Amino acid sequence: MDVVIASDYEDLSRRAAGVLADLALARPDAVVSLATGETPLGMYRVLIGWVESRRVDLSRLRFFMLDDYYGVAQDDRRSFYRWLQQAIFEPAGVPRHHVYPLPTTDADPVAACAAYEEAIAAAGGIDLQLLGIGANGHLGFNEPGSPAASPTRLVDLTETTLESNARYWGTGPEDVPRQAITMGLGTILRARRHLLLASGAAKAEILARALEEQITEEAPASLLRQCAAVTIIADRAAASRLRRTAVVE
Ligand code: F6R
């Protein structure tokens, strides 16, 4: 596991963009899963700039959604699919048929989630999984206590996550859907490479817990320590509570 300390959010964003750009250069049709949330927004802005200046081409990569709200259509303002389309896919020239959506409106989520897993396997598995870290250590919408081997599935969101996600639309938790479909921890951990981003002092405590305390399903991000190729990029504020982890500046 490499833990890289970025000098600030801009530096974090550039370094993270570099990881995806290097993959796209080496394997233009690689399979990638991106996170929504505030943390990767800077990375996406850097990538869009590099696409516009023709330094990198993301149009042949294939993408699988990490998580999304259940009962929310793709054109809903709360849809993560729509969010990623606007934040990166459309401006970076990724064609819609290269983005595999989660079955957020399917009446039979169990069968549809099993089909999603099969689609990932048919694509050859995830080459690069980008992750943020929830204040409670969640990965995707795998809340504390999610089984490490869990597959893509329908989940209930915790009050912490409802409150935390309300900020994305400037509304209250009552406007946040209470269920979501998330790639499972098993699905996420099977990716060949992981890139986790953490920015800001609000992530310092959970990052230290995930990296320096027990590996446990109660802190899903701690399970990444069992994976073969993990890069964590944290800015100084998010890394401020790390005491024992060897870091690269
Ligand atoms: C988003 C996701 C979440 C976020 C996490 C951090 O697709 O899966 O796990 O990565 O909640 O969110 P931010 O970056 O907004 O702090």
Side-chain angles (χ1 to χ4, degrees):
M1 185 173 72
D2 290 327
V3 180
V4 177
I5 309 299
S7 53
D8 56 21
Y9 182 67
E10 286 312 307
D11 186 32
L12 173 149
S13 301
R14 260 192 315 275
R15 289 178 191 242
V19 173
L20 183 59
D22 286 349
L23 175 67
L25 288 170
R27 294 228 6 238
D29 63 346
V31 178
V32 177
S33 174
L34 297 182
T36 54
E38 285 179 351
T39 316
L41 280 174
M43 166 190 180
Y44 297 158
R45 278 194 293 269
V46 172
L47 283 165
I48 292 163
W50 288 350
V51 167
E52 285 168 353
S53 63
R54 297 187 187 274
R55 182 165 159 189
V56 66
D57 176 8
L58 306 183
S59 68
R60 289 174 57 200
L61 295 173
R62 293 163 294 156
F63 294 91
F64 280 86
M65 293 293 299
L66 170 62
D67 51 5
D68 209 335
Y69 290 116
Y70 186 60
V72 164
Q74 280 177 9
D75 58 356
D76 190 294
R77 70 190 174 89
R78 297 166 300 175
S79 156
F80 280 4
Y81 176 87
R82 174 179 148 146
W83 194 96
L84 277 177
Q85 285 291 349
Q86 292 176 343
I88 174 92
F89 295 139
E90 282 172 13
V94 175
R96 281 204 167 219
H97 66 274
H98 281 193
V99 184
Y100 205 99
L102 282 158
T104 53
T105 53
D106 203 292
D108 183 353
V110 175
C113 287
Y116 194 79
E117 292 282 345
E118 280 165 23
I120 293 174
I126 307 281
D127 292 305
L128 176 67
Q129 176 69 61
L130 176 72
L131 297 161
I133 180 169
N136 61 5
H138 73 200
L139 292 181
F141 276 135
N142 293 283
E143 303 288 15
S146 298
S150 50
T152 299
R153 69 204 184 289
L154 183 64
V155 292
D156 294 326
L157 299 177
T158 60
E159 290 303 323
T160 324
T161 296
L162 293 174
E163 275 163 35
S164 152
N165 286 8
R167 77 198 139 108
Y168 294 150
W169 309 289
T171 54
E174 64 286 349
D175 202 29
V176 183
R178 304 192 78 84
Q179 286 187 305
I181 293 189
T182 184
M183 273 189 189
L185 285 177
T187 326
I188 291 171
L189 298 174
R190 258 195 312 279
R192 291 185 190 88
R193 181 161 184 207
H194 300 85
L195 174 61
L196 181 134
L197 307 181
S199 170
K203 299 294 171 67
E205 194 177 326
I206 188 61
L207 189 67
R209 185 173 162 213
L211 297 187
E212 301 189 344
E213 291 179 30
Q214 208 189 345
I215 296 179
T216 166
E217 291 168 345
E218 293 310 316
S222 68
L223 300 170
L224 287 172
R225 281 152 62 198
Q226 298 173 324
C227 296
V230 181
T231 302
I232 299 190
I233 308 181
D235 61 16
R236 284 193 204 287
S240 61
R241 298 270 184 97
L242 297 180
R243 295 288 173 264
R244 298 191 293 276
T245 310
V247 300
V248 182
E249 297 273 341

